[in-house]
Amino acid sequence: MAWRQFFLLLALSILALAGRDFYKILGVNKSASKKEIKKAYRKLAMKYHPDKNPDDDTASDKFKEIGEAYEILADDDKRKTYDRHGEEGVKNMQQGGGHDPFANFFGHFGFGQQQEEQREYKGSDVVVDLYVTLEELYLGNFVTIKRDRPTFEETSGTRQCNCRMEMKTHMTGPGSFQMTQHRVCDQCPNLRQAIETEELELEIEPGMLDGMTQRFSGKGEPHMEGEPGDLYFKVKTIRHNIFERKGDDLYTNLTISLQEALVGFDMTLPHLDGHGVAIKREKVTWPGAIIMKKGEGMPNFENRNKLGNLYITFDVKFPRGELSSEDKNSVKKILNQASAQKAYNGL
């Protein structure tokens, strides 16, 4: 009878710890990719946004629940913990706990046996440079990467694994006990190295900076006695022909003719997404002059509504031909400029 009550209590506790089904909330399978999860979240978030449902009191709760589900499933570590231990396991992880949420039900049934904490092994992490264009960092993009990953696969035979030292207590007489230490190993299948080809879906988010990484949990080097390491893709920007990025700001040089520098000009500079940046000058533009176009830089990674600035430095292209005496006199007459010759240290 006591055992029946125990298992009933255990079953109820497991259901309580399991919590909500976040995959069901977002309407995706457990094998869904990050891209599919994000797409489902955006669709549902737009549908249940409180601003679009002012008369529906349940929309706000649904919107909040969708956000909580996405927060867990979009994070590799949280998703891994959720798949193993449910919502309660994620809460325990966020509170800094690292114990198994079911340990309290089994910890008192060692029957005189103590086991040392088992060492956790993990394969090496792998860092791969991800070369991206400035256009991708401006607009964002999804890319699919095919990769040959080393792994282990089962083969014939068995091997010792998960070896650890255990302390056992023996009764040697009335009121007398003796503790002995024993090396205990499990029997695991033999493994051999293999290569697994996989496709990874990676999001390049607008405003990402050089050196930022995206992590794929468990996709690094394998370890025979433990979990594989992690795979990191590290952002590196390909040099652009027109723009140079510094933080959220963009810089470029624009060459104009001497005539345009003197009398002014009007032009459109193509931006990274194809829209035109209007540039109009009605006064003299000297070589090295810089103008700023507010809000024409890169999107900020943390706040995509915030944009950097575009700085344009002007170069003036002088004519190569010779001026006639008559032309020289005409230029002198038009400019009416006294000599400004001066030597100085410009470094």
Side-chain angles (χ1 to χ4, degrees):
M1 188 67 178
W3 281 104
R4 184 179 300 174
Q5 292 177 342
F6 167 74
F7 283 115
L8 177 62
L9 176 63
L10 178 60
L12 293 173
S13 300
I14 290 174
L15 289 174
L17 289 172
R20 295 169 291 178
D21 187 342
F22 289 146
Y23 292 102
K24 186 175 181 180
I25 291 170
L26 292 183
V28 296
N29 296 324
K30 287 190 175 182
S31 59
S33 65
K34 273 190 175 182
K35 183 178 179 180
E36 292 171 332
I37 290 171
K38 192 165 192 175
K39 184 178 180 181
Y41 164 70
R42 286 177 174 173
K43 182 178 179 181
L44 291 172
M46 290 179 64
K47 180 179 179 181
Y48 290 103
H49 197 285
D51 293 344
K52 290 190 175 183
N53 303 273
D55 300 325
D56 187 354
D57 294 334
T58 63
S60 180
D61 294 335
K62 185 69 176 177
F63 182 77
K64 181 180 178 182
E65 187 176 50
I66 292 166
E68 291 172 347
Y70 177 70
E71 181 186 355
I72 301 302
L73 299 185
D75 184 282
D76 288 336
D77 287 337
K78 292 179 181 178
R79 184 178 180 181
K80 190 174 181 180
T81 301
Y82 173 76
D83 288 343
R84 288 183 174 181
H85 303 303
E87 185 179 0
E88 186 66 25
V90 177
K91 290 180 180 179
N92 181 61
M93 168 188 170
Q94 292 172 330
Q95 292 169 359
H99 65 274
D100 188 331
F102 302 108
N104 291 335
F105 295 106
F106 301 104
H108 302 294
F109 292 90
F111 301 104
Q113 175 176 307
Q114 295 181 344
Q115 180 177 322
E116 70 170 8
E117 186 176 346
Q118 192 170 336
R119 180 180 176 184
E120 293 185 1
Y121 294 94
K122 186 179 180 182
S124 300
D125 293 337
V126 176
V127 180
V128 178
D129 289 334
L130 179 68
Y131 291 93
V132 297
T133 65
L134 205 53
E135 285 84 357
E136 288 177 310
L137 293 172
Y138 185 81
L139 294 168
N141 192 22
F142 284 98
V143 295
T144 300
I145 297 174
K146 183 175 286 189
R147 176 174 177 262
D148 291 333
R149 180 170 68 92
T151 184
F152 287 111
E153 64 181 14
E154 292 186 8
T155 185
S156 59
T158 59
R159 62 186 176 87
Q160 287 189 340
C161 62
N162 302 325
C163 294
R164 67 270 183 195
M165 300 304 295
E166 289 186 356
M167 299 297 295
K168 292 186 178 181
T169 304
H170 305 276
M171 181 179 291
T172 58
S176 176
F177 298 90
Q178 180 182 10
M179 295 184 69
T180 57
Q181 191 176 45
H182 298 267
R183 184 174 184 268
V184 179
C185 296
D186 297 332
Q187 290 295 316
C188 296
N190 272 339
L191 300 175
R192 65 181 178 186
Q193 288 188 327
I195 298 296
E196 180 181 281
T197 301
E198 61 183 1
E199 288 188 352
L200 301 175
E201 292 181 338
L202 180 67
E203 181 181 11
I204 302 168
E205 298 185 61
M208 291 185 77
L209 297 166
D210 270 10
M212 284 187 172
T213 59
Q214 288 206 26
R215 177 187 177 202
F216 286 82
S217 181
K219 298 296 184 181
E221 292 292 331
H223 195 290
M224 187 174 287
E225 298 292 341
E227 297 290 329
D230 299 327
L231 172 63
Y232 293 87
F233 285 99
K234 188 176 181 181
V235 172
K236 284 200 172 184
T237 307
I238 300 171
R239 179 177 171 82
H240 198 272
N241 290 332
I242 297 175
F243 298 105
E244 181 71 22
R245 180 184 185 181
K246 295 181 181 178
D248 291 338
D249 296 325
L250 289 174
Y251 294 79
T252 189
N253 283 59
L254 183 61
T255 300
I256 58 175
S257 68
L258 179 59
Q259 177 179 306
E260 290 171 323
L262 294 175
V263 303
F265 63 94
D266 192 351
M267 69 165 290
T268 300
L269 176 67
H271 209 289
L272 294 168
D273 63 346
H275 82 270
V277 180
I279 302 172
K280 187 174 183 178
R281 296 282 293 175
E282 295 180 342
K283 54 185 178 180
V284 174
T285 303
W286 60 92
I290 300 174
I291 63 171
M292 180 191 76
K293 289 291 183 177
K294 188 175 178 63
E296 292 290 357
M298 297 291 291
N300 181 270
F301 179 72
E302 301 294 339
N303 181 5
R304 297 179 189 177
N305 294 320
K306 180 181 177 182
L307 297 169
N309 302 318
L310 170 62
Y311 294 89
I312 303 171
T313 302
F314 291 99
D315 304 318
V316 179
K317 186 177 182 180
F318 282 74
R320 289 184 174 274
E322 294 290 335
L323 296 177
S324 65
S325 298
E326 185 179 347
D327 290 337
K328 290 179 182 179
N329 290 329
S330 297
V331 171
K332 289 179 182 179
K333 185 176 180 181
I334 293 171
L335 296 180
N336 192 25
Q337 187 177 21
S339 175
Q341 296 174 2
K342 179 182 179 182
Y344 69 99
N345 187 344
L347 298 180

